[in-house]
Every structure is written in C-alpha cells, then in structure tokens.
Amino acid sequence: MVLDLPFLWAAIIAFAVLAYVILDGFDLGVGILFPLFKQKHDRDVMMNSVAPVWDGNETWLVLGGGGLMAVFPLAYATILPALYMPLILMLLGLIFRGVAFEYRWRTKRGEFLWDIAFAGGSMVAAFMQGVALGALVQGIPVTGRAYAGGWWDWLTPFSVATGIALLIGYGLLGATWLVMKTTGELAARARRYALRAGIGTLAAMGVFSLWTPFLEPLYFERWFGWPTIVFSLLVPLLVLGCFAMLIQGLRTEHDSRPFIAALGLFVLGFAGIGISFYPYIVPASLTIWEAAAPEESLAFLIVGAVVLVPMILGYTAYAYWVFRGKVDPEEGYH
Amino acid sequence: MFETLDATLLARLQFAFTISFHIVFPAFSIGLASYLAVLEGLWLWTKDEVYFALFNFWKTIFALTFGMGVVSGIVMSYQFGTNWSVFADKAGPVVGPLMGYEVLTAFFLEAGFLGVMLFGLNRVGPKLHFFATLMVALGTLISATWILAANSWMQTPAGFSVNAAGQFVPTDWWAVIFNPSFPYRLVHMVLAAYLTTAFVVGGVGALHLLRGDAPKRAGKMFSMAMWMAALVAPIQIFAGDMHGLNTLEHQPAKVMAMEGHFQSHPDGAPLILFGVPNAAEQRVDYAIEIPKLSSLILKHDLNAPLAGLDTVPRDLQPPVAVVFWSFRVMVAIGFAMLGLGLWSLWCRWRGTLGENSWLHRAAVLMGPAGFLAVLAGWVTTEVGRQPYTVYGHLLTADSVAPVDAPAVATSLIAFIIVYFLVFGAGTFYILRLMGRLPRDPLPEEEGPIRTAGITPAAAVSSKAGSHRHGA
C-alpha cells in the first residue's frame, strides 16, 4: 500500500490546528474573562495561571500556518489573501496580548493599560479567528492558482456569528481552566461564568449545526446523506454528554472535570467541521490532493513530524506537569 | 499596471518594516540565551552568587526580548501568505519544510522550556532548571540554523527543479539545506548575535561601573563581554570576508553594488572608500578610491580583472546606493567593535579594565552598535538580492499576492503604529531594567534565594523576599 501523504498531512495539520484551538483557546479565554475580574490580585493569579505555558500554546498556531505553507502551499496561498483583514487584525490582537504577559509586571502606573491590551487583544484575536473560520466554511473562490474573491467577502452574518460563538467558546475554556487552577472566591466566580458560557456554547453549536448544512450542498449531502447521517445523529448525543459532564463537574466541584468536558465540546465541534470539509482543504475549491506540495516536500517533512511531534507532546506535557495544581498566588519570577 | 506596482512596493515596505523590527529580537535573544546558559552553568559550578545574580538580572530582560520576538515572529510567518502568496505557492515546497522544521525542532523547544526557565526554579531544582536553560539556548541556535538555510536558499538556490505549475520542487534536500552560501551566512549571523549581546551586556556593565554601583556584578559582566568582543570581533571580520568572497562567486551583482563598481575594471579595480552612487548615470560621484585594492581584497591579486554592473542589465541591478551605504555602515561598526575589543585587552593587560572610565564611556556608546550592524548587514544582503525573491529564478514583482494596494497600505500603517507603540514601550521597560542593576550585595536576596529550589519548604520561605512586583 502506498502511503497517502496528503491525507496524512491533512490529519497532522488538523491536529495542529485543534491543539492550537484548545490550548491557546483557554489562555485567550482567560483574557476574555479579564474584564469581569476587577481586582488586581485576581488578575495577577489569572495571568500567572497561563504565563508559563501561553508561549508554547501559541506555537501551534505557527505550526498550523507554517505547516500549511510547507505541505499545502496552494491552500496557504489562497486562504491567507482571502482572509487578509481578519488575519491581520488577529495578529495585531496577538501582539498586544502577548507582550502584556511581560509588560504588566514592569509598570505600576501603566498596568491598567496592559490589562486592557491583554483583554482587548485576546478578544480581538478570538473573534477574528472565529470570523476566519466562518469565512473558510462559507467557501473561498479560486481561479487558476490564486484567490478570486473580493476583499470584504469574509464579512457576512455567518462569519460574524462564528466570531461571537468562538468568543463564547474560548470564554468557556478559560472559565473551566480557572476553575481547575484557582481557589476561593476567584474559582467560585469562574464556576458561574463557566456555567453561562457552557450554555452559550451549547446553543451556538446547535445553531451552527443547523446553519452550516444549508450553506453549501456539499455540507448538506455530508450531514444528511448515508452513511454519514449516523454520525450526524451520534455527535449531538456526545455533545449533550459533554455538557452533562460540565454541569456535574461544576456542581460537585470536581475541578478538573469541567475543563475536560469543555475540551470534549471543542473536539466534537472540530470533528464536525472536519467531516463537513473533507476532502476539501479550501472548501468547494481545492481538495487536499490538489493543494498538496510535491511528494518530495511531503516526504521530507513527514520524517521530522513523526519523530518530533511525539517528543514535543512529551516535553509539553512535562511543562504542564511542572506547573500542575492550583496556582500559588505568591508565585512568579517578577 | 500601476496598481500592481504599488501593491508590490507596499508589500516590500511592509516586509522590510516588520522584519527590521523582528530581526533585532532574535539577534539579541540568541546571544542572551547562550549567555544565560553560561551564567547558570558557572553558578552551578563555582557556587559564586555573582553569577546567579547576573542570571536573574538578564533573565528578566531575556523574557521581555523573547516575548517581543515571538509576537513579531508570528507576524512574519503569516506575511508570506497574506502579501506574498505567489511566492508561497511557488517556493513553499522548498522553503516551507525548512520553516516547518524550525517550528518542530526549535520553537516548541524554546517555548516548552521557557516557562520552566522563567518560573520553575523552585519547582524543578537547579539541575533540571539548568537543563531547561540549555534547551532554550539550543532552541535559539537551531532556529537560526533553519531560518538561515531558508534565507540562504533564496539567495543561492540549489537542489531543485521547476514543475509544470511553476513550483520549485526539491530534488536533493542536502543540496537545498547546504546551499552554497548557507555555512557562511549561518556563521556570520550567529557571531553577529553573540557580538550584539556582548556589546549590550558590556554597555550595561560599563554604565554601572561609571556610576559606581554594584562593582562586583558590573565588573564581572563587563569583563565577560569584553572577552567576547576581543575574541569574536576579529573572527567575525574574517568570517565576513569569507562570506563576501562567497557572495562574489554566487551573487556577483550584489558585490558590485556593495563596492559601487558600475564599470568593469579589466586590470585591477580600486576600492571606493566613500562616494555617492548615481544609478541614473551609472557612476559613483565624489568617489575617494584606493587604486587596485578592491581586486586585492576580492581576488587576492592587484591586477585581477573585476566585472562591474555594466555587465548586468539595468532592470536586474540591485538598488546600488542602499547596498553601498548599508555595507559601509556594517563594516565600520565591525572595525569599531574590534577596536574596543583590542582596547579592552590593552586595559586588561595593564590591570585597569575596571577603572578606565574612557573605555567604559566608549563601551556605553557602543552598547547598541550590534543592532545597527545587524540591521545594516541584513539590508545589504536582502536589498542586494533584488530584484529577485529567489535569486535568478523568481522576481519580486512576480511573487506578490493578488492584493489590493489599499489593503496592504492599511495594514502597513496599522503595523507601523502598533509596532512603535508596543515595541517602544518594551524598549523603554528594558532600558529601565538595565539602569536598575541591584546594588551589591542586595540584602533581601542574600539569604532565601540561595536555598530556593532545594526543598519546597525553602522555596516557600523565600517568597517574601523574591516576590517584588514591578521592581
């Protein structure tokens, strides 16, 4: 059997994007929740809960983007110009929130400014990622080897709705992360926000499950055709299962359970999008085989990916292990 | 037609602007990461608290630098798609995997262990912590290796063919990575990063020596930095010369622009020290020249013939004035670095390294010199590659995304405002940190920190002393 390298690479890129969404999702979520916590002490703890790991989390975004250029250069070259504005705004948002991790400890007078940068940057980045996702799901027109649409095609009711939905979803990840990592009044409030964001996420998933199939005949066929309809019936059940686990974890104060439930919701949502797409990488325009780089490029990088990704997961897990448990409010190097 | 040209120019400006900001952070953090590893290693080996104090001092500055490098680097990795999508489509199969390996082997390593290095001493103990510091330093070097392989391939492409879709298809990865200019470029860049850091460290040390605070710590970092300057500056000049000869072989037009040779010289080319390149008239006005020296430097023969830009069609010539001047700035700074290094050796021999205030003043003045040299060197090599993105194979004008000029202009303005705001603030914080070297010895650091990290109990008791927000 010949190895289907484009398929393998599609799986790896999908994994990188999922890893990014989940990992940076919770630390962006902490930024989204920032304005709800007014006290400096709470904010310090929130910041310290993600400070040692946010940088690694964001690296998955570079792998998703850089990997796409390496193995699906045509997809990279058509998706990025199509999403020009939302991506630039996302990058600007990431700049502000990224530097806030260091800057806010370096100034007393300016601290509130970097708190705003952290919260605002996180929100802009999260919203724009949602918009970009929505715009991608809508489909991107390609002629020859280039993007063939206009510069505002990305802005539609659907993409704005996905933007808002991702804000809520990241909020859920952030809140459940705080439930897991903090104590006392901060954790109690995080529980309340987690519940609200959980209900919002569930509602959003329902709306998009009904909306998406009608965007594109391809998606409709995928969701309501045989045999994939079995999956369409299974996914909502699993989603409800995760939601029940979230509620139960929040009620019984099993503090890591809500976070795991939130991860489950994201994995299911992501799988749903993947099922809609496949085998397209630029929906309705390019399949993974059409967009794939030459065999030589795919083969060269796969060797590294197969060896290195497990190592990366290993030492990333170690880094999380080092900083396991509840955040000590007094800790940090500042 | 006009609009396409405009978008290309704007995309080039945006790339030049964002990478000029970005490049100074890695240049500093490559050197600083290695310096931190050396400091921590010396601390563990000698148990001398001075090294640990210096480690903590530079660690905070490293964290700020690294943070700025990360966020500005993410912008770079997306710009190939947003503004240079045709380049991404065509060169992606070659350049993409190199950058992919950079992420897999370097970025994750740095990011994974950075958290442990910055926050984890009390949690993992000194040995594992030292390992984390080493991994961060190693990551910066691996990152430099891949990115310079990619950049060098764009300068001196090798090991590929072109397919029906116009994509560069790698045929021999060994030849792609070890392309003709890669070893020279890598050595030149890593040494530049080390020198840049040495001059910053030396400048800060000298500043505090002049002020008379913390003489032990300031003297230690000044001495270490001056060793680096004295030893590495001459090596760097030699490496730069080798790199220049390599460029002459593979990118002759770039060297012609660097030297300002519009005309060919059949029997020995002069070295133009200064002058005003005039591309319209294809000559250097007001030139001050030393006869035959250019041939001697480049060919090791006074009378060797040297081709000029008159052998290159006008539309394939790089912008001469920019390359001519940036090259001179880089070389001048290189020799100034050598001068300071030699001066410091002289003072060291006389036993006045810690007291010679003129040397200290010069070192403070030279503190930012490395950044200027790196920027000038980058301009020389990148502008000298024009009008190509992939030298000899893909024109810059044919690499740009089918992008509206207003979109590029808007994002360019946004980047300019945000970068000056954000990185201006970061520079301010770093400079302020540099000005606040803790006095020697610092009472609250004496007791607790030394015991921190050995047992959790000791770590807890040290917190009152080490936890000083915004200090």
Side-chain angles (χ1 to χ4, degrees):
Chain A
M1 194 193 105
V2 183
L3 215 57
D4 186 354
L5 283 173
F7 176 78
L8 204 56
W9 268 112
I12 294 172
I13 298 284
F15 176 77
V17 174
L18 176 64
Y20 172 75
V21 167
I22 284 174
L23 294 174
D24 215 26
F26 78 72
D27 64 51
L28 285 166
V30 168
I32 292 165
L33 297 174
F34 225 50
L36 299 172
F37 296 85
K38 304 273 186 247
Q39 284 185 359
K40 176 178 161 50
H41 178 263
D42 287 347
R43 291 183 169 189
D44 289 355
V45 171
M46 289 166 79
M47 209 75 170
N48 276 338
S49 78
V50 289
V53 292
W54 77 272
D55 185 27
N57 297 345
E58 216 158 280
T59 306
W60 292 96
L61 180 68
V62 185
L63 183 63
L68 196 65
M69 173 168 160
V71 293
F72 297 108
L74 191 51
Y76 183 82
T78 47
I79 293 173
L80 268 68
L83 304 178
Y84 195 89
M85 288 309 227
L87 289 180
I88 297 282
L89 290 169
M90 173 194 84
L91 292 172
L92 294 174
L94 290 177
I95 289 174
F96 278 107
R97 54 101 54 181
V99 296
F101 280 98
E102 289 297 329
Y103 287 9
R104 71 185 293 277
W105 305 104
R106 303 285 143 235
T107 167
K108 279 208 174 74
R109 255 184 311 168
E111 190 182 2
F112 76 100
L113 284 176
W114 300 114
D115 282 358
I116 295 171
F118 181 58
S122 299
M123 284 182 212
V124 169
F127 179 70
M128 287 303 157
Q129 283 171 12
V131 168
L133 172 69
L136 188 64
V137 170
Q138 280 170 182
I140 289 172
V142 175
T143 310
R145 298 181 76 81
Y147 171 59
W151 293 103
W152 294 94
D153 285 12
W154 54 274
L155 187 64
T156 61
F158 182 75
S159 69
V160 172
T162 45
I164 294 167
L166 201 65
L167 267 176
I168 299 169
Y170 281 175
L172 171 67
L173 283 174
T176 53
W177 169 261
L178 291 175
V179 168
M180 187 165 71
K181 297 296 280 186
T182 64
T183 52
E185 173 62 12
L186 176 51
R189 287 178 65 187
R191 259 181 219 109
R192 292 201 292 278
Y193 297 133
L195 181 63
R196 286 180 218 168
I199 293 167
T201 305
L202 188 70
M205 289 179 87
V207 169
F208 289 107
S209 302
L210 295 176
W211 195 341
T212 309
F214 296 95
L215 282 176
E216 179 63 56
L218 171 78
Y219 302 156
F220 189 90
E221 167 61 26
R222 192 50 58 73
W223 283 105
F224 299 114
W226 184 262
T228 36
I229 192 166
V230 179
F231 219 83
S232 318
L233 296 172
L234 200 63
V235 168
L237 286 177
L238 290 171
V239 167
L240 286 175
C242 284
F243 186 71
M245 181 178 168
L246 173 75
I247 303 292
Q248 191 261 351
L250 290 173
R251 286 255 165 78
T252 57
E253 305 203 0
H254 278 96
D255 284 349
S256 53
R257 208 170 281 175
F259 184 64
I260 294 166
L263 293 188
L265 288 176
F266 266 81
V267 172
L268 288 169
F270 194 78
I273 295 166
I275 290 164
S276 309
F277 264 39
Y278 186 81
Y280 285 91
I281 190 160
V282 182
S285 292
L286 293 169
T287 66
I288 56 174
W289 298 283
E290 288 166 332
E295 179 91 10
E296 292 82 355
S297 307
L298 303 182
F300 174 65
L301 196 55
I302 199 89
V303 181
V306 167
V307 176
L308 293 164
V309 170
M311 280 173 64
I312 290 165
L313 292 173
Y315 61 66
T316 303
Y318 169 74
Y320 274 85
W321 173 252
V322 167
F323 297 101
R324 69 194 176 276
K326 302 276 185 185
V327 179
D328 182 341
E330 293 301 317
E331 211 161 33
Y333 73 102
H334 308 288
Chain B
M1 179 64 200
F2 180 70
E3 191 157 324
T4 328
L5 259 179
D6 239 9
T8 308
L9 184 67
L10 287 164
R12 283 184 64 190
L13 283 175
Q14 187 175 116
F15 198 81
F17 178 79
T18 48
I19 204 166
S20 297
F21 262 89
H22 174 65
I23 200 169
V24 300
F25 302 123
F28 189 31
S29 56
I30 290 168
L32 208 46
S34 293
Y35 184 51
L36 286 172
V38 169
L39 287 173
E40 190 172 13
L42 285 171
W43 171 56
L44 291 176
W45 190 34
T46 65
K47 309 282 180 234
D48 187 343
E49 290 300 312
V50 171
Y51 294 114
F52 188 58
L54 289 182
F55 175 83
N56 281 326
F57 175 70
W58 288 104
K59 180 180 77 171
T60 317
I61 291 168
F62 178 79
L64 274 158
T65 309
F66 194 85
M68 291 191 272
V70 168
V71 294
S72 59
I74 292 176
V75 173
M76 299 312 306
S77 73
Y78 277 77
Q79 214 163 65
F80 290 114
T82 52
N83 290 349
W84 301 98
S85 65
V86 178
F87 169 81
D89 174 26
K90 292 187 170 170
V94 175
V95 175
L98 301 180
M99 299 204 289
Y101 268 107
E102 185 194 16
V103 182
L104 290 171
T105 56
F107 286 1
F108 278 111
L109 198 66
E110 293 169 340
F113 287 100
L114 182 74
V116 178
M117 177 180 132
L118 293 182
F119 307 101
L121 183 57
N122 293 345
R123 287 174 178 259
V124 299
K127 292 236 168 72
L128 261 176
H129 186 261
F130 180 48
F131 179 75
T133 310
L134 282 178
M135 288 303 109
V136 172
L138 181 67
T140 62
L141 290 171
I142 296 174
S143 171
T145 305
W146 288 112
I147 209 69
L148 283 160
N151 179 267
S152 298
W153 183 83
M154 289 165 66
Q155 304 270 359
T156 54
F160 67 97
S161 62
V162 178
N163 71 9
Q167 288 176 307
F168 296 95
V169 182
T171 51
D172 177 356
W173 278 106
W174 189 260
V176 167
I177 297 169
F178 293 93
N179 61 75
S181 65
F182 165 68
Y184 301 93
R185 217 177 286 279
L186 177 65
V187 169
H188 201 45
M189 182 68 209
V190 171
L191 292 181
Y194 280 2
L195 277 174
T196 298
T197 306
F199 277 84
V200 174
V201 171
V204 171
L207 179 74
H208 289 285
L209 284 174
L210 283 169
R211 284 189 189 162
D213 38 74
K216 202 172 166 215
R217 293 173 190 188
K220 178 64 80 183
M221 68 169 101
F222 183 66
S223 170
M224 290 175 89
M226 287 303 112
W227 272 126
M228 194 77 181
L231 296 176
V232 175
I235 299 174
Q236 176 70 316
I237 290 169
F238 176 71
D241 183 51
M242 299 291 288
H243 183 29
L245 295 180
N246 176 266
T247 308
L248 178 67
E249 190 181 338
H250 296 281
Q251 296 176 291
K254 186 192 283 185
V255 175
M256 295 168 195
M258 285 156 64
E259 300 276 312
H261 289 326
F262 284 104
Q263 268 77 44
S264 296
H265 297 273
D267 50 355
L271 180 73
I272 303 175
L273 287 176
F274 288 103
V276 181
N278 183 340
E281 302 288 329
Q282 296 277 292
R283 63 161 192 260
V284 178
D285 297 331
Y286 315 110
I288 302 169
E289 325 179 320
I290 302 173
K292 299 194 188 277
L293 189 56
S294 187
S295 281
L296 182 69
I297 293 171
L298 292 169
K299 301 265 175 144
H300 300 277
D301 175 1
L302 283 171
N303 295 312
L306 209 59
L309 286 166
D310 50 7
T311 59
V312 180
R314 286 286 280 268
D315 57 348
L316 295 181
Q317 292 180 4
V320 179
V322 178
V323 179
F324 181 86
W325 281 112
S326 62
F327 177 62
R328 268 150 195 73
V329 169
M330 178 187 75
V331 171
I333 293 173
F335 279 100
M337 287 176 158
L338 178 69
L340 193 74
L342 294 176
W343 187 6
S344 77
L345 276 185
W346 170 253
C347 292
R348 201 186 291 272
W349 184 62
R350 298 278 306 269
T352 57
L353 188 71
E355 288 124 51
N356 189 327
S357 60
W358 283 107
L359 176 71
H360 300 161
R361 286 193 191 101
V364 173
L365 197 69
M366 287 284 286
F371 296 116
L372 292 177
V374 165
L375 279 174
W378 175 77
V379 167
T380 306
T381 200
E382 298 302 297
V383 177
R385 188 189 54 205
Q386 296 303 326
Y388 296 104
T389 47
V390 180
Y391 196 71
H393 294 275
L394 183 62
L395 287 166
T396 307
D398 297 334
S399 305
V400 76
V403 72
D404 277 350
V408 192
T410 311
S411 58
L412 174 61
I413 292 166
F415 278 124
I416 290 173
I417 293 170
V418 169
Y419 274 35
F420 275 107
L421 210 70
V422 166
F423 300 131
T427 308
F428 172 74
Y429 295 141
I430 285 181
L431 287 175
R432 204 168 56 176
L433 280 171
M434 286 175 171
R436 283 187 192 166
L437 183 69
R439 298 205 166 267
D440 189 15
L442 207 81
E444 70 263 41
E445 276 186 22
E446 274 304 297
I449 278 192
R450 212 178 318 168
T451 57
I454 294 163
T455 66
V460 171
S461 73
S462 77
K463 267 163 205 156
S466 63
H467 180 70
R468 286 178 294 126
H469 287 299

